[in-house]
Amino acid sequence: EPANHIIELHCLTSSINNMLQRIENFNQAVLAERAKQYEATILLLQTQINPHFLYNNLQCIRGMAADGDDQAIREMVGNIAAIYRYCSQSSSTATLAEEKDCAQMYMRIMELRYDTSYHLELECAKGTLQCLMPRMVLQPLMENSIRHGFKGRPTGTVWIRAWQEKDWLVCTVKDDGCGMSPEEVEKARLQSYPYDAGETKRYHIGLGNVRSRIRLIFGESSGLYCNSVPEQGTTVT
């Protein structure tokens, strides 16, 4: 009878709606769990910078103490503490302005360590300073330049440039160091998280860390690219 068909249709519709709601709830739960996993991975990658950065400066502070250079120690420790506060924030993103400040503090530490042998030049296009990017991206790339690009060279310059292309923020970190061979560039291009335990030299860990965080936060259409010319320098975009 028509009344029975209406009841059956109502029951069927109700069942379908309940099923769709259960699927939606399940999908939301899966997405929430996946988001937690991504966040944990990003924070892990972010904090991997910390010990590496700290170990490289403690020995220098010890030397300053032996020389009685209290003013340099105070300035260096103050900058290290500020960078750690910045790096340890729970947010995985920061503005370019914040990254710029961190880069300047890091370079000041390098000036204190190496007696102003290395220099930083910054150029950020109008409107870019409030753009978001992963936290602690510029510092590890600068550290690669100084530790590896300038190895064996008494002086060097790091240039940081930032501009917008449509909705994208583009940053380059360029040095005038010793550069890399095509084979080394290819290894650096392939390096990502988790790292190959055998690939711990030169640029690989820093580039892999930064590349992984960029893609986790902003998706596969974003990324990190490396170009290098032996004896002329390296540019990371």
Side-chain angles (χ1 to χ4, degrees), residues 15 23 95 113 172 212 233:
S15 297
I23 292 173
T95 64
R113 285 180 58 178
T172 60
S212 295

Side-chain angles (χ1 to χ4, degrees), residues 200-220:
T200 58
K201 297 179 180 179
R202 294 183 64 80
Y203 291 79
H204 301 161
I205 289 180
L207 292 180
N209 182 300
V210 171
R211 179 185 292 111
S212 295
R213 287 191 288 128
I214 290 173
R215 289 183 174 175
L216 280 169
I217 295 170
F218 293 109
E220 292 297 320

